[in-house]
Amino acid sequence: MNTAQYISQVDRWSAHNYHPLPVVLERGEGPWVWDVEGHRLLDMLSAYSAVNQGHRHPRIIAALERQAARLTLTSRAFHNDQMGVFLEQLCSVTGFDRALPMNTGAEAVETAIKAARKWGYEVRGVPAGQAEIIVCEHNFHGRTTTIVGFSSDPRARGGFGPFAPGFASVPYGDSGALEAAITPNTVGFLVEPIQGEAGVVVPPPGYLARCMEICRDHGILLINDEIQTGLGRTGRLFCGDWDGGRGDIMIVGKALGGGVFPVSGILSGSEVMDVFRPGDHGSTFGGNPLAAAVGRAALDVIVEEDLPARSEQLGGWFRDTLRAAGSPFVEEVRGRGLMVGVVIKRESGPARPFCEALFEQGILAKETHEQVIRFSPPLVIERSDLEWAVEQIADVLNNPALARGAAA
Ligand SMILES: *Cc1c(COP(=O)(O)O)cnc(C)c1O
């Protein structure tokens, strides 16, 4: 089959809930992927940061294969010999006391919401059914009905109500607005240290640290969603490390699965985690031995290959070089580490045609929220590959003919 045939097969048999670039991939290695036509492309999305370690990292694949040959799923009805050692490692790497494993990011966010609410009732004495959680405008925390209910994106919410009550929304980057929104029933503040899906929005310096102070002063939990920003992406192990902390509950996912398997979880102190008791919460696949083995290898690679430092060095160079290349279409290049957003001016039209032109040049990147091209290559990328990428990107951003459909 050719590209068009693969695509029409999915169109025929699936829901139309995505608008992918017209490329069908069949193989990957490190930062590179190959499509069914044999083209080699540089993956500068990394599955939204789920492939920080690169495609098919040998160490992670070896762990997957080793564990697949022994035991893959037990459910939590029984213990398995992999989960404990994984969670011990996850806690020691992150500095938290307790970890609760889930699979997808949205599930982990749901887990954090449940933990914060129950903590609010049992520890803080909030009246039953009254717990409130403050979230940020333009947040992205996943796709469950509860989570989209507190989204400000009409496409994410529209047609999916009614929604769960108990959430209040404040502008992102404004710690004063957070403080003003706190009520006696507030139990937590859920925040992304950089808003990825909103377009790589970096908050003002000191924002997260100030939010943590406010949460501490008011006795509420700071719930730090590091699903996309964590595990080296922003040039620190966790993005919160730039700004004073990892939070009272930290949510991890994406790269914790090393690009091969969904692995997520929440981390917290025991005072929060101890609110869960048998029967309260769970997941058939959460903490399965295959995921635990993969998660350990995924963490090993991030720590031992010092991917946060690579991300900081290469990301700084990448952003500086893109800025220096200039472009009549670009309003701003922003981000931290290798989490980079190139904002296209409104009068230059949407970002999508630029992503299509980049694809023609051998680079896979995806627009987010109309105006922003997101670049988040695997953190294992070689400097020479990134240099090549910058040449292609600078070409596209300076050549209206390449960005077909872009309004010059
Ligand atoms: C991707 C993402 C999620 C949701 O993760 P899924 O695995 O897609 O459910 C939640 N929060 C943030 C910040 C994300 O980037």
Side-chain angles (χ1 to χ4, degrees):
M1 292 207 293
N2 63 24
T3 294
Q5 288 166 323
Y6 282 109
I7 292 175
S8 63
Q9 186 177 47
V10 172
D11 278 347
R12 163 64 184 82
W13 295 105
S14 189
H16 299 157
N17 57 330
Y18 277 92
H19 182 36
L21 287 174
V23 59
V24 180
L25 303 174
E26 64 171 17
R27 192 160 71 83
E29 191 177 323
W32 295 98
V33 289
W34 284 261
D35 77 359
V36 292
E37 316 281 346
H39 300 121
R40 188 178 82 146
L41 299 139
L42 188 64
D43 181 1
M44 295 198 77
L45 180 65
S46 307
Y48 307 94
S49 295
V51 191
N52 287 357
Q53 301 90 340
H55 292 277
R56 293 190 309 111
H57 192 290
R59 197 158 164 186
I60 298 171
I61 297 299
L64 177 81
E65 288 175 351
R66 220 179 308 120
Q67 189 57 37
R70 294 179 69 229
L71 180 67
T72 55
L73 183 61
T74 55
S75 84
R76 299 286 307 275
F78 314 114
H79 294 276
N80 69 69
D81 66 351
Q82 297 294 310
M83 188 175 114
V85 60
F86 167 52
L87 299 183
E88 182 177 359
Q89 182 179 353
L90 184 58
C91 286
S92 100
V93 164
T94 58
F96 285 86
D97 259 7
R98 296 276 196 278
L100 178 52
M102 291 282 136
N103 309 284
T104 65
E107 267 180 306
V109 172
E110 290 277 351
T111 303
I113 291 168
K114 288 170 80 172
R117 284 178 171 175
K118 201 144 188 268
W119 172 88
Y121 299 128
E122 294 192 354
V123 179
R124 275 276 314 282
V126 171
Q130 300 298 305
E132 292 168 4
I133 291 175
I134 300 173
V135 300
C136 291
E137 288 168 12
H138 307 296
N139 67 71
F140 181 84
H141 297 288
R143 297 293 195 171
T144 66
T145 48
T146 293
I147 293 170
V148 299
F150 58 74
S151 168
S152 40
D153 178 354
R155 274 183 309 185
R157 307 165 48 88
F160 298 125
F163 297 121
F167 298 95
S169 191
V170 297
Y172 185 63
D174 180 349
S175 54
L178 165 64
E179 187 150 37
I182 292 171
T183 75
N185 294 334
T186 303
V187 297
F189 173 52
L190 173 61
V191 64
E192 298 155 86
I194 290 177
Q195 287 189 328
E197 298 314 297
V200 191
V201 179
V202 182
Y207 171 64
L208 206 64
R210 179 72 194 116
C211 289
M212 290 193 189
E213 240 169 58
I214 292 168
C215 288
R216 189 173 359 96
D217 292 350
H218 289 81
I220 68 175
L221 303 173
L222 190 135
I223 308 166
N224 177 21
D225 182 346
E226 293 261 11
I227 292 170
Q228 185 165 153
T229 50
L231 299 172
R233 173 52 58 190
T234 70
R236 292 286 183 273
L237 187 55
F238 293 97
C239 189
D241 300 355
W242 284 106
D243 206 1
R246 296 178 179 179
D248 301 299
I249 300 178
M250 186 168 77
I251 312 172
V252 289
K254 292 205 166 106
L256 189 57
V260 304
F261 207 82
V263 187
S264 71
I266 71 164
L267 293 141
S268 75
S270 52
E271 189 196 57
V272 171
M273 203 68 89
D274 287 351
V275 301
F276 287 122
R277 284 180 284 276
D280 278 1
H281 187 54
S283 158
T284 304
F285 281 82
N288 72 75
L290 195 57
V294 163
R296 286 173 63 198
L299 288 170
D300 282 341
V301 168
I302 287 164
V303 172
E304 288 172 27
E305 297 187 14
D306 204 0
L307 296 186
R310 278 186 79 83
S311 177
E312 182 179 17
Q313 282 153 17
L314 292 175
W317 176 84
F318 180 59
R319 276 178 280 119
D320 288 347
T321 312
L322 277 184
R323 285 190 193 112
S327 162
F329 307 119
V330 172
E331 184 173 300
E332 188 190 1
V333 176
R334 63 192 181 202
R336 269 197 169 143
L338 279 171
M339 182 171 187
V340 178
V342 172
V343 186
I344 303 295
K345 291 176 184 162
R346 288 227 169 257
E347 65 264 31
S348 304
R352 173 89 185 188
F354 292 92
C355 294
E356 288 166 358
L358 285 168
F359 166 47
E360 301 293 330
Q361 303 283 110
I363 291 189
L364 291 180
K366 190 71 168 62
E367 78 279 8
T368 171
H369 276 242
E370 308 301 332
Q371 294 315 124
V372 183
I373 313 171
R374 169 180 20 205
F375 292 107
S376 53
L379 307 181
V380 296
I381 191 170
E382 294 296 337
R383 166 93 179 220
S384 55
D385 290 336
L386 202 58
E387 284 168 3
W388 174 82
V390 168
E391 282 169 31
Q392 314 309 310
I393 297 166
D395 236 24
V396 166
L397 291 176
N398 279 294
N399 191 339
L402 287 178
R404 263 172 288 146

